[in-house]
Amino acid sequence: MTDVLDVLVIGGGQAGLVIGYHLAERGQRFLILDAGPEIGHAWRSRWDSLQLFTPAQFDNLPGMPFPAAKDTYPGKDDVADFLQAYAARFQLPVQLNTTVESLTRSDDGYVVTTGRDTWKARQVVVATGPFHTPSIPPIANDLSAEVTQIHSVEYRRPQDLAGEKVLVVGAANSGCQIALELSATHTVELAAGQRIPTIPQRPFGRDVWWWASGLGLDRVTVGSRLGNRLAGRDQVIGSGPRQLAKRHGIRIRPRVTAATGRTVTFADGTASEYDAVVWATGFTTEYAWIDVPGVQDERGRIPHNRGVTSSPGLYMLGLTWQHTRTSALLGWVGSDASYLADQIAAAGSDQSIQTLQSPPR
């Protein structure tokens, strides 16, 4: 493609759609590329019973409230439907089934190559989020083929796991929610590699996000003293390991250290046999397709300041603690998107001025 867009957005989840909304408001020519077959696919493909831990009144996107009653907790299909309706309402230009294979610099901006197209843009927003490649520890290879193993991203419903005894590895929000659901039909044990603070969903009769918003905790920035303390620690909202053990009979195990056959061994020296293991062990980010000199550090991460990278015109959006605790959450991503849209518009204006002032060749 020879035409040069103002902005190319990579990723059509909530972050990509919201930056699209703000770019449209600022008169930018842009396109959103997404690898999925439909808008909201990443949400729709999660486990059946998944619900947000933010109530509907905190799940709005700029220009459109979430269509659900206050203090209800939308399911994953409700979110997918909302994102589809959002893209349709604001006529956001999204090209689906498009996997980006490379992003490189060019004289007038960036070049994005997909399996079938090449796009040029003066500026690019990477809105692929923080969850790229499922992380499963090498120890999984030591388990017998008789043990069913899945990552949490593959988990759909309890009946998909054959056998009686299941080990869930990882006690963050996903691991705790999956363990709780499985406990109704299976004997479940939960391996917690580290202690993660647990916050009740509705302390003193109010949702935790009502308290966080009122106290300003949802606006604590990553560069503040409190933000520095919180950014490295996740929190479980709802039922944590202690509640799961006390109320639902789930045995809590320490960190997994070894596996052989059907047996898993833990840090305290105890061991047990299992029929299935769910690895709720998170994700790793994957930016190998970004071939821009100097933008990645030695660990493959892309350092940024509130989404602005060291490469002029290249931005990140939708990351955990991008600017605040809530940067990656549905109802708050609009704040970071608005900030970046302002940076993009200002940079585009500067480029236009430079072009007008440049002498003819």
Side-chain angles (χ1 to χ4, degrees), residues 219-256:
R219 299 183 293 279
V220 172
T221 61
V222 67
S224 66
R225 181 179 298 179
L226 180 58
N228 277 322
R229 291 179 56 193
L230 295 177
R233 304 179 67 192
D234 200 359
Q235 299 93 34
V236 173
I237 296 179
S239 296
R242 182 178 298 180
Q243 291 78 19
L244 294 177
K246 182 177 181 180
R247 300 172 187 171
H248 303 280
I250 295 174
R251 181 172 180 176
I252 307 303
R253 297 277 196 171
R255 178 174 54 87
V256 172

Side-chain angles (χ1 to χ4, degrees), residues 16 22 26 39 56 75 79 84 138 156 164 171 177 185-186 218 270 275 289 302 309 312 319 343 361:
H22 285 293
R26 290 157 178 78
I39 293 171
V79 178
Q84 289 185 351
R156 296 294 178 271
E164 169 62 24
Q177 289 180 29
T185 54
H186 295 70
D218 59 338
T270 61
D275 300 308
W289 53 276
I302 299 182
T309 76
L319 300 178
Q343 305 305 305
R361 295 182 181 179

Side-chain angles (χ1 to χ4, degrees), residues 47 49 150 155-169 174-190 244 248 250 276-279:
W47 71 86
S49 64
I150 60 172
Y155 173 75
R156 296 294 178 271
R157 59 195 68 86
Q159 53 266 41
D160 290 345
L161 293 181
E164 169 62 24
K165 194 171 182 180
V166 180
L167 174 66
V168 178
V169 182
S174 293
C176 288
Q177 289 180 29
I178 291 172
L180 175 59
E181 179 173 72
L182 287 171
S183 68
T185 54
H186 295 70
T187 299
V188 179
E189 297 188 354
L190 176 65
L244 294 177
H248 303 280
I250 295 174
V277 176
V278 179
W279 298 100

Side-chain angles (χ1 to χ4, degrees), residues 91-104:
Q91 299 181 326
L92 299 175
V94 181
Q95 180 170 299
L96 298 168
N97 295 303
T98 304
T99 300
V100 172
E101 297 179 350
S102 69
L103 168 64
T104 58

Side-chain angles (χ1 to χ4, degrees), residues 109-319:
Y110 295 90
V111 176
V112 171
T113 303
T114 71
R116 61 179 186 268
D117 299 306
T118 297
W119 299 92
K120 297 180 180 179
R122 294 181 179 86
Q123 303 187 75
V124 170
V125 178
V126 177
T128 54
F131 307 125
H132 298 166
T133 304
S135 177
I136 299 178
I139 201 172
N141 297 324
D142 299 327
L143 285 170
S144 167
E146 297 177 354
V147 178
T148 300
Q149 296 188 68
I150 60 172
H151 189 271
S152 58
V153 76
E154 303 169 299
Y155 173 75
R156 296 294 178 271
R157 59 195 68 86
Q159 53 266 41
D160 290 345
L161 293 181
E164 169 62 24
K165 194 171 182 180
V166 180
L167 174 66
V168 178
V169 182
N173 281 290
S174 293
C176 288
Q177 289 180 29
I178 291 172
L180 175 59
E181 179 173 72
L182 287 171
S183 68
T185 54
H186 295 70
T187 299
V188 179
E189 297 188 354
L190 176 65
Q194 59 181 335
R195 185 179 180 276
I196 302 176
T198 299
I199 304 171
Q201 181 72 68
R202 299 186 64 82
F204 304 106
R206 295 276 195 175
D207 185 87
V208 63
W209 294 104
W210 182 89
W211 292 102
S213 179
L215 295 171
L217 296 178
D218 59 338
R219 299 183 293 279
V220 172
T221 61
V222 67
S224 66
R225 181 179 298 179
L226 180 58
N228 277 322
R229 291 179 56 193
L230 295 177
R233 304 179 67 192
D234 200 359
Q235 299 93 34
V236 173
I237 296 179
S239 296
R242 182 178 298 180
Q243 291 78 19
L244 294 177
K246 182 177 181 180
R247 300 172 187 171
H248 303 280
I250 295 174
R251 181 172 180 176
I252 307 303
R253 297 277 196 171
R255 178 174 54 87
V256 172
T257 57
T260 180
R262 303 173 63 90
T263 302
V264 176
T265 303
F266 302 94
D268 60 358
T270 61
S272 186
E273 293 188 349
Y274 299 95
D275 300 308
V277 176
V278 179
W279 298 100
T281 42
F283 299 79
T284 57
T285 54
E286 177 54 64
Y287 294 123
W289 53 276
I290 299 180
D291 186 17
V292 177
V295 76
Q296 298 189 42
D297 64 16
E298 65 279 0
R299 296 176 60 184
R301 301 171 303 185
I302 299 182
H304 62 86
N305 182 7
R306 201 174 176 180
V308 180
T309 76
S310 61
S311 184
L314 179 61
Y315 310 90
M316 311 297 291
L317 181 62
L319 300 178

